[in-house]
Amino acid sequence: MRDLPRFTAAAVQSAPVYLDPAATVDKAVTLIGEAAAHGARLIVFPEVFVPGYPYWNWTMNPVQGSPWFERLWHASIEVPGPYVDTLREAARQHAVTVVIGVNERVSHSLGVLYNTLLTLGPEGDLLGVHRKLVPTWAEKLTWTGGDGSSLQVHQTPVGPLGVLACGENTNTLARFSLLAQGELVHASAYIALPVAPDDYDMADAIAVRTAAHSFEGKVFSVVACSTISPEIVDTIAGDDQDARRMLARPRSALSGVFGPDGRPVTDPLIDDEGIVYADIDLNRCIQPKQMHDIVGHYNRFDVFRLHVDTTPRPPVTFVTDQHDAAVEGDAPSMEES
């Protein structure tokens, strides 16, 4: 009889060393070591942990925020690159699978930054580079959207692993595309969002989204959210008392692990820094799938059909001969049902 993986997962709830990629990567390496020492084999970090989230998009107008975009560009990292190599070595040294969010800059444009999730394997390999498909609301002032080429489930020692960033976890089709590739472990990375509308509870919103995906897909979800440090408040708000009060709003972060029944495996962590540990047994996904398998018997593929285009979308394609032109015209796509 084939048993599915059993392991300990760690959801890291922490603040970056704001806009300092070197110090933040060092902090991540320390947290990887701490989680691994507690037996974790999967360690999930927050969205854009390296080197932080552009809160100025919410507290300033676009003209005021423009110099901050430049500052973030200088603090963003290349993928691959030396900071990624440091994180890969930490994963290899501790033999763990790591998911971590970064601000990624690219060589072809000074105006392009990506909200990127890296998936690192226990041998130090870079398994996945997922660029957030649609920046949410004010985030469009900072990030360019990714393409479908990174919407992949990776085979890892902890099971088939998929990742999405923050608001992507409200995108039903993106979530379904991962489930249809056999996802059993879902890593979702968030940022603390105290700048939301008054009637919006970020902690509740994270819990609802995470429970929904776990229950609908009969999977385990590991959700990691950043926190707001005094350093972030001082950097962004300065003497602006309204902004300081906004950034100090409670219930802006939640991290934890949810099971295939949609319930937390252990108590989530709200607002405070820390690491949530939980034991995961993927065999617990089997019996719930017998009841509701939305990528199998509990669907009507003669009625519903999802087409996912995984073609990479570079800004330019140079065609050098007729053979290349023919190949270009036959760009591959993935169809998920």
Side-chain angles (χ1 to χ4, degrees), residues 142-328:
T142 294
W143 293 313
T144 298
D147 58 43
S149 64
S150 66
L151 205 58
Q152 299 178 15
V153 169
H154 303 285
Q155 300 304 316
T156 75
V158 297
L161 173 66
V163 305
L164 290 175
C166 199
E168 290 188 305
N169 291 282
T170 66
N171 189 322
T172 305
L173 302 184
R175 295 191 295 106
F176 186 89
S177 70
L178 296 179
L179 295 173
Q181 295 176 64
E183 180 188 57
L184 290 177
V185 184
H186 183 74
S188 51
Y190 285 81
I191 48 88
L193 192 63
V195 291
D198 290 341
D199 60 351
Y200 192 83
D201 186 308
M202 185 61 170
D204 279 351
I206 293 172
V208 167
R209 297 177 201 181
T210 308
H213 186 66
S214 291
F215 183 79
E216 290 174 3
K218 313 308 181 193
V219 301
F220 282 90
S221 291
V222 183
V223 54
C225 187
S226 61
T227 60
I228 300 287
S229 66
E231 174 196 18
I232 292 175
V233 175
D234 290 341
T235 301
I236 297 300
D239 295 328
D240 184 337
Q241 294 305 312
D242 288 338
R244 295 185 74 87
R245 281 191 293 271
M246 184 186 303
L247 291 169
R249 179 178 170 181
R251 295 189 59 81
S252 64
L254 179 145
S255 298
V257 180
F258 288 66
D261 57 2
R263 297 189 179 100
V265 176
T266 189
D267 289 339
L269 182 64
I270 296 177
D271 289 342
D272 296 329
E273 287 217 6
I275 303 177
V276 179
Y277 298 95
D279 293 328
I280 288 177
D281 179 0
L282 293 187
N283 294 282
R284 286 184 53 201
C285 299
I286 299 173
Q287 290 189 37
K289 281 276 194 180
Q290 186 184 23
M291 181 180 293
H292 299 127
D293 184 4
I294 62 172
V295 296
H297 62 78
Y298 204 72
N299 216 319
R300 286 288 302 274
F301 299 121
D302 57 331
V303 178
F304 305 112
R305 191 171 183 84
L306 174 63
H307 178 89
V308 181
D309 188 344
T310 61
T311 307
R313 301 295 179 184
V316 62
T317 300
F318 293 98
V319 179
T320 57
D321 57 37
Q322 291 302 311
H323 172 72
D324 288 345
V327 172
E328 192 62 34

